[in-house]
Every structure is written in C-alpha cells, then in structure tokens.
Amino acid sequence: MAKSTAQTAALLEQYCERLQPMLDWLARYGADPQGGVSRLLYTPEWVAAQSALAQYMTEHGLDAFYDQAGNLTGRLLGTEPSLPAIATGSHIDTVIMGGKYDGAYGVVAAVLALAYLKEAYGPPKRTLEALSLAEEEGSRFPLTYWGSGNITGKYTVQELPHVQDRNGITLAEAIQAAGFGAASPYVSGRREPGAYIELHIEQGCVLERSEQQIGVVTGIVGQRRIEVRVTGESNHAGTTPMSWRSDSLACAAEMITTVRRTALAEGDPLVATVGHIQPFPGVSNVIAGETMFTLDIRHLDSQRLDEYTERLRSELAAMAAREGMTLFWQENLRAEPVLMNANMIDELQQICEQNGIRSRQMPSGAGHDAQVFGIMCPSAMIFVPSRDGISHNPMEYTAPEELIQGFRVLTQWLYQTAY
Amino acid sequence: MAKSTAQTAALLEQYCERLQPMLDWLARYGADPQGGVSRLLYTPEWVAAQSALAQYMTEHGLDAFYDQAGNLTGRLLGTEPSLPAIATGSHIDTVIMGGKYDGAYGVVAAVLALAYLKEAYGPPKRTLEALSLAEEEGSRFPLTYWGSGNITGKYTVQELPHVQDRNGITLAEAIQAAGFGAASPYVSGRREPGAYIELHIEQGCVLERSEQQIGVVTGIVGQRRIEVRVTGESNHAGTTPMSWRSDSLACAAEMITTVRRTALAEGDPLVATVGHIQPFPGVSNVIAGETMFTLDIRHLDSQRLDEYTERLRSELAAMAAREGMTLFWQENLRAEPVLMNANMIDELQQICEQNGIRSRQMPSGAGHDAQVFGIMCPSAMIFVPSRDGISHNPMEYTAPEELIQGFRVLTQWLYQTAY
C-alpha cells in the first residue's frame, strides 16, 4: 500500500538521521588510534567493512553481491529490467591515515538511499545499484581506480598480479587472501550501467568559502605532471662572486614565481602547483648546479590546459636561456578532463533550486571514480563542503546537516530518474 | 761561503722545478683510483704522508718535530733566537675525494722555501718554520682547524675524545692509533709564532677571470649560516583555487629571488647563497605547507655583513606577512671576518709589483688556517689561480708556472723578512 507524502517525508528524515551514525560505524573498520581511518585494499579491515555492508544491504532488502575484484553491489531490481540500471556509490578504501568521509560518504549514502527508496516507494522502474567500490586511492598498490576500472574494463582482475605492496605482498596474493580474484566464485565486474552518480566530499574549500551547500560537478579536470630540471654550475658559495654565478636554484625560484603569476593570470579553474623541489648537491655552502622541481597543472578544458602548459614551457625555457642554463622538461602523467553529463547537471541544479539549497556548479580538481564511469556512461557528482578543505587526513570533516543535504539531493535525483 | 746572486737565482730555479714533482709525490699518499686524493686525519695514508715529509725536512737540513696533535714542523733555526719565529705552511689533510693542491701546495711550498733559503743563504736571523698542519677540513671528525687550533689554543689535544668518525672510531682512538695524543712522547702544540703566512690555491675563479697571477688576501670573510622556515598551509593541489592558496614554496621562491637581487645590489665582496631547500610534505600534488631553506651570507666587513643580514631578515619577514605566512629565522653559525696584516699585505703587493707579477688584493670567501693564526699573530695569505674555480674535487688544478709564481712571492717575502 502506497505511503502518503507525509509518511515518505517522515521516513526520509529517519534515514537522514542514520547517515552520521552509519559513517561512524563504518569508520570503526580500520580505525586508527589517532582518530583517522586506514582501510587499504584487501586487508582484513577492508574485508570486514565490505562484509558488514553486504549484511546491511541484505537486511534492508537489497540483493548484495560481489564481483571478482571485490566490488560490492546492493541491487534494487526494477520492474522494467530492460531499462539500463542506475548506479550510485563510491569507494570503500582509504589512504593511509585518512579520514572517515572520503569515499565512505558516497557508499553509505548510496546504501541508505536505496534502502529508503525501497521502503518508501517499493521497487523502481529502473534497477538501482548501490556500489561499494573496492579501491580508488592507489594507497596499497599503484592501481588507482582499481574498483571502477574493473567494471569499465580499464583493468582486468588479472592485471599486474606481481605488483607488490610495501610489505612485498603481490596483488595476486592479496586478492586471493581476501577471497576474490578470477578463481573465486564471483562474477566478473564488467558491465555498463545506464548512469552513474557519486556523492562525495569536496576535499577543497570552494563550497565553504563561497558559502554554498552543494556543488554540482561539471567535470573532473585534466592533469599534466611534469618534471623540470634546470642545470647551471655548481660552485663554492664563499669564493664565487654573485655576478659570476650560474645558480640553478636561484633560476628555479624565479621559475616557480612565474608559475604562480601565470596561473593566477589564467584564472580559475586552472591550477598550477610546484609541490616538490630538490637542488643538487643541496648543501648550504655550495651553489646548486642542478635543481629539479615538479609541476602539477590542471584544467577542465583540455585545449586550454595544453595551451597554458606550452606557454609556460616556452617562458621557462627562455628564462633558462637568459641565464645560460639548460632546461629539461618531461611529462610524466597526462590525464584528460572528463565532463559530467549535461542533463544530469541540469537535473541536479534544478533539484537544488526547487529545494532552496544554495548550490554552485564547479569542476572537481581531484580524481574520482566518476571520471572512470564518465567515459562509459552518463555520470554526475554531487559535492558537499569539506571543513577547511582538509582531506586525506584524520581531521577531515563535514557537518551532519551538510551530509544530509547531499543525501537529499542524491535521493531525489534517484527517485525522479528511476521511478 | 756566500753564494753570488747568479748562483742563488739558479738555485731558486731548481727549487721551482721541484714544486710540481713534489706535489705529485705527496698526492700518492691517499691517492684515489679516480685521480683525486683522500687523506683524512690520522689515517695510515695521513701518517705516511707526514712521515715522508718529516724525512724530507731532515734530509734538507730542517729540524723536524711533531706536536701532540700531529702537526709537523720543519724548523730552520735563526741566529737571533730571541726574535719571534715566522711560520709558513698549510694543512696536510684533504676532503674525501679531494684534489692534490688544497693544503698540500702550501705545505710543499713551505718545505721547499726553507730548504732553498738554507741552501742559498744559510741560517736566517729569525727562525723559520715550515708547518704541515694536521687537519683543517673537518672531513673525518667535525673539528675544522684542528691542526692550527691546537697551536693557537682553540683546541687542546684532549678536546672531545668521544667524537666519532663515520666508522664509529673516536678521536681518542684515532689519535692514539696514529701515535699522537697527550700520552705520546711529543710536545704540546701551543706556541705563538711571530707571523704566519700561507700559500694556497684560490678555490674560486676570481684570479682566472680577472687574469691575475697572484691574489694578496685582505682577509677571510665572516659568515652567517641561517635556517629559514616559511609556514603557510598545506592543501590539495587540485581542489584549491590559485587565489586561495597559502603556498609556502611559492613564497620561499620569491624570497630566494630577493636574496639574489639584494646581494647583487649590495655588491662584492658580499655573497648570499641558498644552497638547500626542502618543502613539506614535498609531494607533487600537495601544496607545501612549510618550506625550509638555508642561507649562507659572507662579507669581509662584519658590520656590513650584519646590516645586510638584518635588512634581508626584515624584507623576508615583510614578504611572509604580506602572504599571511609566518617566518622562522635561526642563525646556526656565526664566524667573524679575520683581517690579514696590513704591513704584510703591503710587502706582498710590493714584491709582486717589483717582479712584474699581475696581482690583486681580494678577500678569501673560504676558510683557511690563516684565520685561526690571524687572531693570534700578524698573518697573510697568497692565492694562486684555480682552473675554473674548481676545488674539493679530483679536477682541482693549477698550472705549474702559476704554482711557481706563488712560490717565488712566498720565498722572497720570507727572505726579506727573516734575513
């Protein structure tokens, strides 16, 4: 018997109240003494967390099943199974000494959303799937997006079996010990959902500083990682007059200033960061003959990203030449931007407006599973604020009412799309 | 029977020709396979080199004796022993993988000069001493100027017996193994020469670039070593817009540019060097929350050194404040300038002019034993060019004719001062 609007509204409130306790419950799997969470792929803590979630799904009427990579799905079968399924979720793994929101929030919200929808409205027309993806961070093995990658075909479950974690355990050993892998009783992860939507903390301070409650993500930025080396001449810091020096660190310092100046001039959403620098020999009383520094450049528009990067390269090369130094430039990573689905962006924006939720559209500067799904099917992301922009840290925090706001938007979008 | 001027001139030529072979001979003690020299304090190579030099001294009529620190003196007794002795020499130890000129040139030249003077003119009025000082570099134990310091009272031979080398051998063990120390049959090193003069390679490129043959050293610069830390805020390199960053490395980069700009504006002989920098966490995709860098500032004038350093500190503090960051500033080393004796500088300058030798007065940007003697007795230094300014390296090189020019100036000054 269908519930009244008042009844479903009251039920939604009950589910909203479960968000924070369920996040705290999940954070006990891999809890660090320092207050954070370390839940690395295929560790006993990780296995226990997935098992507990599977049990929760089953108890709430979802059809829970694993795939060979260890991705956990809680399925709410639709009445029109020929329609493409809608998946929502995030990743269950954390970085070492991470927080309790990154990934976990999207998983918990997905499970609660489907449980609520089933209880409030019964089965949907389109099948709904809550995903607890095996891995996204790359913190145990150097395989970021392992979970979503096994669904989209970026990886197969037999990929790189010999890659080792810091204790020398191979991926093949770890996956077997966790009870998964190609020889396990589980199905292959490969499939193509009709849509993917991910709720996640922002991991930045844009929403907080602009006093918005929800960020509707326009896309995940593309990224270039470059290693730069400036070579001058090493000399004695005492016996070499200032005007005769070929000081690679002094030259690199001016280049770093140029990076900041040009990135500010280019404007949002471009960001350019020098996070690491290493002079050689790196001794206080020796002029550095060579200096290496890293460049991390991101933009939502691939062409503007390339244009900025190429202009910067020219400018740094000219600076090196003016000082008689040589510039080495090596691109070590190239990730293209992935745009979120325009219709889904519009629908999410409308939901916010209809409900009086302060929202803005924004790119994601960080990587997410949605960028892996986004090249396969219509995808979207919803951000909630991160206090002080802190993430990957035990201090990671989002207030319960902000978590609830994101959950409401997700739930309403799932309802209006699947029912 | 006194020799004629022609005879002494011919004899001097013979001694000049011995310089390079004797340097090559000494370089065999501690020769590296790569072509350099590693002759660390109290090692078997070091002991063998001092023994060989002692034998050479004895064979050339000098009274050779050690002190408890292992300093070797070759004495040519004056006919008026009440007059203060004149000492000349340098250090016998090298850095690890050093060259064959640093220190060794001054030692070899001292021994040859006294041998020549004795053979050409017989005993002087004032006693002359050729010093092969035990240690200057601080490459085995952290005790720079150990040799001259034991003579001037900067150290006693029982100083810091427990200080260890990288193999865990204590100074007390090393000194005893080499046959020296307070329990050895040797005398204490403590004494006060009437003057000290040191011949040394420049270890810089000033003479070479200005096409001078001899540098008459005006003084050894004072030095400040400072550790600077800039603290901003660590954040995600992807999710933090450029205009909201508190990037300590970007701020430090502007400071390094300020160091170079202000040091160039101040002009010679001031030098200011940032040789090392370390951002934290120092990861390519994280904005550095804190950045440490070193400052090495030198000047011959203590007051101008302090004034520059204080101005720089104010300027960097203002830069940090403008960006809302904090500046930590810690002076880790403070060495005052030591001026060389004005009369000796004049006399050396005149010798150069009378002999048509291209010379210039210049400060020493590097430390030398002369700065230890210089606070005790009238002291002077003579520099010869270093090819490409390279030192502390197997590539260290000075042409034989340039070595000879320095030897001539030293010998003439010793002759006119002691006879």
Side-chain angles (χ1 to χ4, degrees):
Chain A
M1 199 181 83
K3 290 190 168 60
S4 71
T5 305
Q7 282 174 318
T8 57
L11 191 62
L12 180 59
E13 290 311 304
Q14 289 174 27
Y15 275 89
C16 285
E17 294 307 317
R18 292 186 197 173
L19 254 177
Q20 183 68 56
M22 190 163 169
L23 270 171
D24 294 336
W25 163 78
L26 190 57
R28 290 205 295 269
Y29 297 94
D32 284 321
Q34 297 85 348
V37 181
S38 296
R39 194 168 52 224
L40 302 192
L41 180 65
Y42 301 145
T43 57
E45 309 84 71
W46 178 96
V47 170
Q50 288 289 64
S51 298
L53 278 174
Q55 188 181 339
Y56 190 98
M57 288 170 172
T58 305
E59 288 168 3
H60 287 74
L62 305 181
D63 175 22
F65 60 92
Y66 290 104
D67 65 25
Q68 292 173 351
N71 291 310
L72 172 64
T73 302
R75 181 177 280 165
L76 180 55
L77 200 66
T79 54
E80 300 184 20
S82 62
L83 292 176
I86 297 166
T88 181
S90 192
H91 58 95
I92 190 70
D93 68 311
T94 69
V95 298
I96 296 166
M97 288 283 287
K100 63 181 178 187
Y101 300 87
D102 181 359
Y105 172 47
V107 172
V108 164
V111 174
L112 286 177
L114 267 56
Y116 159 71
L117 289 170
K118 180 183 166 79
E119 187 172 349
Y121 303 105
K125 270 192 285 193
R126 286 174 70 172
T127 295
L128 288 172
E129 296 180 345
L131 298 182
S132 177
L133 297 165
E135 201 267 2
E136 186 254 14
E137 301 285 3
S139 292
R140 182 174 181 188
F141 298 99
L143 296 164
T144 42
Y145 313 114
W146 174 250
S148 50
N150 264 276
I151 293 175
T152 60
K154 176 183 168 77
Y155 297 121
T156 75
V157 77
Q158 287 160 307
E159 191 98 9
L160 297 170
H162 302 303
V163 69
Q164 292 183 352
D165 69 7
R166 69 197 65 204
N167 296 318
I169 299 169
T170 65
L171 177 58
E173 290 163 350
I175 200 168
Q176 192 183 357
F180 299 104
S184 70
Y186 302 114
V187 296
S188 154
R190 283 301 295 279
R191 54 192 155 136
E192 183 158 357
Y196 175 77
I197 183 165
E198 182 170 4
L199 184 57
H200 206 281
I201 55 168
E202 180 198 337
Q203 304 182 273
C205 53
V206 170
L207 291 175
E208 184 182 66
R209 293 213 191 177
S210 60
E211 300 187 341
Q212 303 293 319
Q213 297 166 292
I214 292 290
V216 176
V217 175
T218 53
I220 288 127
V221 298
Q223 190 181 357
R224 309 286 181 261
R225 285 198 196 170
I226 294 147
E227 179 183 319
V228 181
R229 282 178 186 266
V230 192
T231 308
E233 196 180 356
S234 188
N235 260 311
H236 193 295
T239 62
T240 313
M242 293 305 295
S243 53
W244 290 349
R245 297 179 172 209
S246 185
D247 183 337
S248 67
L249 178 50
C251 186
E254 298 207 359
M255 290 176 176
I256 293 169
T257 297
T258 297
V259 170
R260 178 157 71 162
R261 178 178 50 74
T262 55
L264 278 163
E266 177 73 19
D268 295 334
L270 183 117
V271 289
T273 308
V274 178
H276 189 44
I277 183 170
Q278 175 74 58
F280 303 93
V283 176
S284 66
N285 60 347
V286 178
I287 298 164
E290 180 167 286
T291 298
M292 181 282 295
F293 63 88
T294 59
L295 265 175
D296 176 312
I297 310 175
R298 307 185 195 200
H299 197 297
L300 192 56
D301 181 322
S302 182
Q303 190 184 336
R304 296 193 67 174
L305 177 55
D306 278 336
E307 284 169 3
Y308 171 82
T309 303
E310 197 45 45
R311 272 204 313 280
L312 183 65
R313 180 186 186 151
S314 299
E315 194 158 343
L316 300 194
M319 293 173 76
R322 273 200 296 278
E323 299 212 32
M325 300 195 201
T326 57
L327 187 78
F328 169 88
W329 176 283
Q330 179 176 290
E331 186 180 272
N332 287 331
L333 183 150
R334 183 180 187 88
E336 295 306 330
V338 177
L339 296 183
M340 298 290 94
N341 179 266
N343 289 337
M344 292 171 76
I345 291 172
D346 285 346
E347 290 156 11
L348 291 168
Q349 192 72 57
Q350 281 168 25
I351 290 171
C352 290
E353 285 164 16
Q354 286 159 5
N355 290 276
I357 295 170
R358 294 190 308 279
S359 69
R360 63 178 286 166
Q361 294 189 16
M362 60 184 293
S364 170
H368 292 292
D369 289 307
Q371 77 194 64
V372 179
F373 284 107
I375 56 173
M376 166 186 263
C377 68
S379 297
M381 285 196 82
I382 306 164
F383 276 171
V384 296
S386 291
R387 187 176 66 188
D388 297 331
I390 294 170
S391 184
H392 286 188
N393 188 300
M395 297 288 288
E396 194 176 77
Y397 180 76
T398 301
E401 61 274 18
E402 293 171 324
L403 296 172
I404 287 171
Q405 213 62 277
F407 177 70
R408 285 182 195 277
V409 174
L410 173 69
T411 305
Q412 182 162 347
W413 185 88
L414 291 172
Y415 174 68
Q416 71 189 38
T417 309
Y419 283 83
Chain B
M1 201 179 83
K3 290 189 169 57
S4 70
T5 304
Q7 283 175 317
T8 56
L11 191 62
L12 180 58
E13 291 310 306
Q14 290 173 27
Y15 275 90
C16 285
E17 294 306 319
R18 293 187 197 172
L19 253 178
Q20 184 67 57
M22 190 163 170
L23 269 172
D24 294 336
W25 164 79
L26 189 59
R28 291 205 293 269
Y29 297 94
D32 284 321
Q34 296 85 349
V37 182
S38 296
R39 195 167 53 223
L40 303 192
L41 180 66
Y42 302 144
T43 58
E45 309 83 71
W46 178 96
V47 170
Q50 288 288 64
S51 298
L53 278 173
Q55 190 182 338
Y56 190 98
M57 288 170 171
T58 305
E59 289 168 2
H60 288 76
L62 305 181
D63 176 20
F65 60 93
Y66 289 105
D67 66 23
Q68 291 173 352
N71 292 310
L72 172 65
T73 303
R75 180 177 282 164
L76 179 56
L77 202 63
T79 54
E80 299 182 22
S82 64
L83 292 176
I86 296 166
T88 182
S90 193
H91 57 95
I92 189 69
D93 69 311
T94 69
V95 296
I96 296 167
M97 288 280 289
K100 62 182 179 187
Y101 301 88
D102 180 0
Y105 172 49
V107 172
V108 164
V111 174
L112 286 177
L114 267 56
Y116 159 72
L117 290 170
K118 181 184 166 79
E119 188 172 348
Y121 304 107
K125 273 193 282 192
R126 285 174 73 173
T127 294
L128 289 172
E129 295 181 345
L131 298 182
S132 176
L133 297 165
E135 200 269 3
E136 187 254 15
E137 301 286 2
S139 292
R140 182 173 180 188
F141 298 101
L143 294 165
T144 43
Y145 314 113
W146 174 249
S148 51
N150 264 277
I151 294 175
T152 60
K154 176 182 167 79
Y155 296 121
T156 75
V157 78
Q158 288 161 306
E159 192 98 7
L160 298 170
H162 302 304
V163 70
Q164 293 182 353
D165 69 7
R166 67 197 66 203
N167 297 318
I169 299 169
T170 65
L171 177 59
E173 290 163 351
I175 200 168
Q176 192 183 355
F180 300 103
S184 70
Y186 303 114
V187 296
S188 155
R190 284 298 296 277
R191 54 195 156 134
E192 183 157 358
Y196 176 76
I197 183 166
E198 182 170 4
L199 184 57
H200 206 281
I201 57 168
E202 181 199 337
Q203 305 182 273
C205 53
V206 171
L207 291 175
E208 184 181 67
R209 294 213 190 180
S210 61
E211 298 187 343
Q212 303 292 319
Q213 298 167 292
I214 292 290
V216 177
V217 175
T218 52
I220 288 128
V221 298
Q223 189 180 359
R224 309 285 182 262
R225 285 197 197 172
I226 295 146
E227 178 183 319
V228 181
R229 281 177 186 266
V230 192
T231 308
E233 195 180 355
S234 187
N235 259 312
H236 193 295
T239 63
T240 315
M242 294 304 297
S243 53
W244 290 348
R245 296 179 171 208
S246 186
D247 183 338
S248 67
L249 178 50
C251 187
E254 298 206 0
M255 290 176 174
I256 293 169
T257 298
T258 297
V259 170
R260 177 156 74 162
R261 177 177 53 73
T262 55
L264 279 163
E266 178 75 17
D268 295 334
L270 182 117
V271 287
T273 306
V274 178
H276 188 45
I277 182 168
Q278 174 76 57
F280 302 94
V283 176
S284 65
N285 60 347
V286 179
I287 298 163
E290 181 168 286
T291 299
M292 180 284 294
F293 63 89
T294 59
L295 266 175
D296 176 311
I297 309 175
R298 307 186 194 200
H299 198 295
L300 193 55
D301 182 321
S302 183
Q303 191 184 336
R304 294 193 67 176
L305 178 55
D306 278 336
E307 284 169 2
Y308 170 82
T309 303
E310 196 46 44
R311 272 204 314 281
L312 183 65
R313 179 186 186 150
S314 298
E315 193 157 345
L316 299 194
M319 291 172 77
R322 271 200 297 277
E323 300 213 33
M325 300 196 200
T326 58
L327 188 79
F328 170 87
W329 175 283
Q330 180 175 288
E331 186 180 271
N332 287 332
L333 183 149
R334 184 180 186 86
E336 295 306 331
V338 178
L339 295 182
M340 298 292 93
N341 179 266
N343 290 337
M344 293 172 76
I345 291 171
D346 286 346
E347 290 156 10
L348 291 168
Q349 193 70 58
Q350 281 168 24
I351 289 171
C352 291
E353 285 164 16
Q354 286 158 6
N355 290 276
I357 296 170
R358 295 188 308 279
S359 70
R360 64 178 287 167
Q361 294 189 17
M362 60 184 294
S364 170
H368 293 291
D369 289 309
Q371 78 195 63
V372 178
F373 284 107
I375 55 174
M376 167 188 261
C377 67
S379 296
M381 285 197 82
I382 305 165
F383 275 172
V384 295
S386 291
R387 188 177 64 187
D388 296 332
I390 294 171
S391 184
H392 285 186
N393 189 298
M395 297 288 288
E396 193 176 78
Y397 180 77
T398 302
E401 61 273 19
E402 293 172 324
L403 297 171
I404 287 171
Q405 213 63 278
F407 177 70
R408 286 182 194 277
V409 174
L410 173 69
T411 305
Q412 183 161 345
W413 185 86
L414 290 173
Y415 174 68
Q416 72 187 37
T417 309
Y419 284 82

